[in-house]
Amino acid sequence: MIRTVIGVGALALSLGTAVPPAVAAPEAQAAATAACALGLGSLDVNISGVNSRVLTSAGAGAVVSTPNVYNTPYNVGQPTSFTAVPAGNGRTTRSGKVVWGSGYLMQSTYTVGRDGKVVGTPVFQRIGNGWGGRFLIQSQYKASAGSKPTRTMLYQQDQYGLFGRWTDVGKGLRNTGYVSGMSSMKSFTLIAATPTYDMFLANNRAGGLYTVKIPVTVPLKPIITPVRTSSWQVFEQLVSAPCGQYGSLLLGIDKDTDTGYLYAVGHAAGGKTVIKSLGKVPTTFRDWQYFRFTPAYDPLNGG
């Protein structure tokens, strides 16, 4: 099945504008000195605006609010990561995918100023119908900062645990496999994108933490490897960022208590994977859904 692009012209919409650990410090990789940071975005409690902040070794940076980005008659959810690139004069252009209403997949692009407020008119391009589910993750592989992506894939898990992958074939998105048997998984976060596979960290309701390695070949055949067997069930959402040559910076969000905990996670090695607790983040996590802001070149090397 190919989900083709509908309405190739952009739709320009005018808008108003576990066992918890110890000390928060996302700029860490055990004893190494390379700085790590996570640009965290979230859909606010009204599901119309976007909040952003940076988590660093100093703690959690100030929240920058961008109200009414999605001031539409549709509910908005399942954001992918968003690229955030300089647009001159202190402005930043953000671009990623969201799901609207009853399943419209939209490419979302807007520019913000230094104060976080929208500059100009956000542009939304409708990609296709029939989307929804518990999360949406995009993986793009680029060989270098100056190259174009050689592949783009979307992953989604529905409410019943059916896990699917769609590949960008240039004229739309082709489904390249579904698998069942992962209904107990609560959250997935992408930690590696290579020419031959993607890799996720995922936690389940029984407390386990796993890597899920998915070769780009067809059919879809995930390789699931245990990393830890207990205490990870408390997190409703995982968000990760690359951490230099070390691996990944991982944020676990517990929505029951609106708290977040940070970890430095070494390169994936099953049960031998090094995980260093960096502590509780000194802020609350009350927003609806969280995602990551990424640079244009985002070498994920956690796996």
Side-chain angles (χ1 to χ4, degrees):
M1 177 181 69
I2 297 181
R3 294 186 177 183
T4 55
V5 174
I6 299 176
V8 176
L11 282 170
L13 301 185
S14 179
L15 307 181
T17 24
V19 178
V23 185
E27 187 183 356
Q29 51 179 29
T33 58
C36 299
L38 195 159
L40 187 66
S42 57
L43 296 176
D44 66 19
V45 292
N46 298 315
I47 322 178
S48 61
V50 173
N51 292 325
S52 61
R53 71 191 321 161
V54 176
L55 307 184
T56 71
S57 59
V63 173
V64 178
S65 296
T66 304
N68 300 321
V69 177
Y70 302 107
N71 189 17
T72 78
Y74 307 101
N75 289 326
V76 178
Q78 292 85 48
T80 64
S81 59
F82 270 57
T83 59
V85 298
N89 297 320
R91 300 175 179 181
T92 301
T93 296
R94 300 169 172 175
S95 184
K97 294 178 174 63
V98 295
V99 176
W100 282 11
S102 59
Y104 298 112
L105 180 64
M106 309 292 290
Q107 182 70 30
S108 169
T109 303
Y110 62 97
T111 298
V112 298
R114 288 187 178 92
D115 59 0
K117 302 302 185 291
V118 171
V119 178
T121 303
V123 174
F124 302 123
Q125 183 179 14
R126 182 169 161 181
I127 298 173
N129 302 335
W131 297 81
R134 297 170 59 187
F135 63 80
L136 183 67
I137 297 175
Q138 177 173 278
S139 170
Q140 277 191 337
Y141 175 73
K142 293 175 65 172
S144 66
S147 63
K148 295 182 179 180
T150 55
R151 65 171 180 83
T152 300
M153 294 178 170
L154 287 179
Y155 297 87
Q156 190 170 64
Q157 184 184 45
D158 68 17
Q159 292 88 340
Y160 308 101
L162 193 63
F163 186 92
R165 178 183 65 192
W166 289 262
T167 301
D168 189 335
V169 294
K171 297 181 179 180
L173 296 168
R174 181 189 298 275
N175 177 259
T176 49
Y178 285 104
V179 292
S180 58
M182 293 196 287
S183 60
S184 67
M185 296 295 189
K186 297 181 68 174
S187 181
F188 289 74
T189 184
L190 186 68
I191 62 168
T194 79
T196 58
Y197 67 85
D198 290 322
M199 183 178 285
F200 302 85
L201 275 176
N203 65 321
N204 70 3
R205 294 183 181 88
L209 182 70
Y210 301 85
T211 55
V212 182
K213 181 179 179 180
I214 302 181
V216 299
T217 52
V218 179
L220 178 66
K221 290 184 177 181
I223 302 166
I224 301 175
T225 304
V227 176
R228 297 292 187 270
T229 58
S230 64
S231 79
W232 288 85
Q233 73 280 0
V234 299
F235 298 128
E236 279 70 46
Q237 190 167 5
L238 302 175
V239 184
S240 63
C243 187
Q245 297 301 310
Y246 180 76
S248 305
L249 179 68
L250 178 66
L251 171 68
I253 299 173
D254 179 355
K255 294 302 294 177
D256 291 332
T257 59
D258 294 335
T259 55
Y261 296 86
L262 278 160
Y263 303 86
V265 181
H267 290 289
K272 296 182 180 179
T273 304
V274 176
I275 301 179
K276 178 178 175 58
S277 169
L278 302 175
K280 183 179 179 181
V281 183
T283 187
T284 57
F285 292 84
R286 296 194 180 100
D287 281 352
W288 191 53
Q289 285 187 328
Y290 289 84
F291 58 93
R292 180 174 163 244
F293 286 114
T294 76
Y297 177 55
D298 186 37
L300 296 169
N301 62 354

